C-alpha cells in the first residue's frame, strides 16, 4: 500500500491509500479519485515527505479513524450500511420507482450517474449525496 498526499483543483488537501502508483493512476483516469471535501475528480498528487517505517510495529493502522471528522464519517457510514439496502447503480431507478409508488418504500443507498442524480432532484425526488463511497462498491 502507498499513501499519497492529494490536492484537488479547488485547493483542498487530503490523502488516500492505493495499492500502487499504477493503481492510483488508473483510478484517477477513471474519475474514481475524488476530493473528500468537494467531490472534484480533478485530483493530483501534492508534495509530500516520505514516511520511513522502522519496523512492523509502526505500520499505519488503516482501519482506525485518524481524527474526529473521520470518526464521525465512519459512524455515519456504519449507520447507512446497517439501516439501508445497497442497490449499486440501480439507485436512480429504485428511487424513482419508490417515489412513483411502483416499489415499496425503503431506505436505500447506491451510485448514480451525475445526470441521473440531477434528474431525480429536478423531479422533486428526495435524494442526497453521501460524503463517502460505499464499502460494497469497493469490493
Amino acid at each position: 500500500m502507498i499513501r499519497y498526499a492529494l490536492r484537488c483543483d479547488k485547493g483542498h488537501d487530503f490523502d488516500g491509500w492505493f495499492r500502487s502508483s499504477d493503481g492510483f493512476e488508473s483510478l484517477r483516469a477513471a474519475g474514481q479519485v475524488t476530493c473528500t471535501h468537494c467531490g472534484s475528480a480533478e485530483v493530483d498528487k501534492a508534495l509530500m515527505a516520505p514516511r520511513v517505517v522502522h519496523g512492523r510495529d509502526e505500520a499505519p493502522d488503516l482501519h482506525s479513524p485518524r481524527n474526529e471528522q473521520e470518526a464521525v464519517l465512519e459512524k455515519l457510514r456504519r449507520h447507512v450500511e446497517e439501516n439501508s439496502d445497497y442497490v449499486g447503480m440501480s439507485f436512480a431507478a429504485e428511487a424513482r420507482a419508490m417515489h412513483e409508488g411502483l416499489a415499496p418504500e425503503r431506505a436505500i443507498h447506491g451510485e448514480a450517474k451525475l445526470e441521473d442524480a440531477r434528474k431525480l432532484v429536478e423531479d422533486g425526488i428526495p435524494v442526497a449525496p453521501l460524503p463517502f463511497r460505499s464499502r460494497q462498491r469497493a469490493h
Side-chain angles (χ1 to χ4, degrees):
M1 297 289 285
I2 187 168
R3 179 179 156 257
Y4 286 128
L6 304 171
R7 177 172 287 155
C8 78
D9 60 334
K10 308 285 190 275
H12 300 123
D13 292 316
F14 58 103
D15 60 59
W17 288 91
F18 302 91
R19 291 185 183 198
S20 65
S21 178
D22 290 339
F24 166 75
E25 293 300 338
S26 64
L27 288 171
R28 183 174 69 154
Q32 293 185 351
V33 179
T34 57
C35 176
T36 58
H37 302 280
C38 68
S40 172
E42 296 295 321
V43 174
D44 287 308
K45 294 179 203 171
L47 185 62
M48 61 184 276
R51 179 169 183 254
V52 178
V53 177
H54 296 288
R56 286 212 174 270
D57 293 338
E58 295 183 38
D61 179 3
L62 301 179
H63 301 291
S64 298
R66 292 172 298 164
N67 55 43
E68 182 180 343
Q69 292 86 354
E70 284 187 3
V72 169
L73 282 175
E74 183 57 29
K75 183 177 178 183
L76 175 61
R77 178 196 305 266
R78 274 195 315 271
H79 179 80
V80 167
E81 290 175 349
E82 292 170 2
N83 296 286
S84 66
D85 296 327
Y86 177 73
V87 296
M89 287 303 293
S90 299
F91 179 81
E94 292 280 337
R96 185 172 299 284
M98 286 188 290
H99 182 74
E100 294 172 354
L102 302 174
E105 286 195 26
R106 68 190 201 281
I108 62 171
H109 70 282
E111 280 90 75
K113 293 180 181 175
L114 182 58
E115 66 184 50
D116 293 337
R118 185 175 289 136
K119 185 73 172 136
L120 291 173
V121 171
E122 289 171 358
D123 292 345
I125 299 173
V127 296
L130 295 173
F132 52 81
R133 292 192 185 233
S134 175
R135 284 203 175 102
Q136 285 96 338
R137 180 179 185 194
H139 295 295

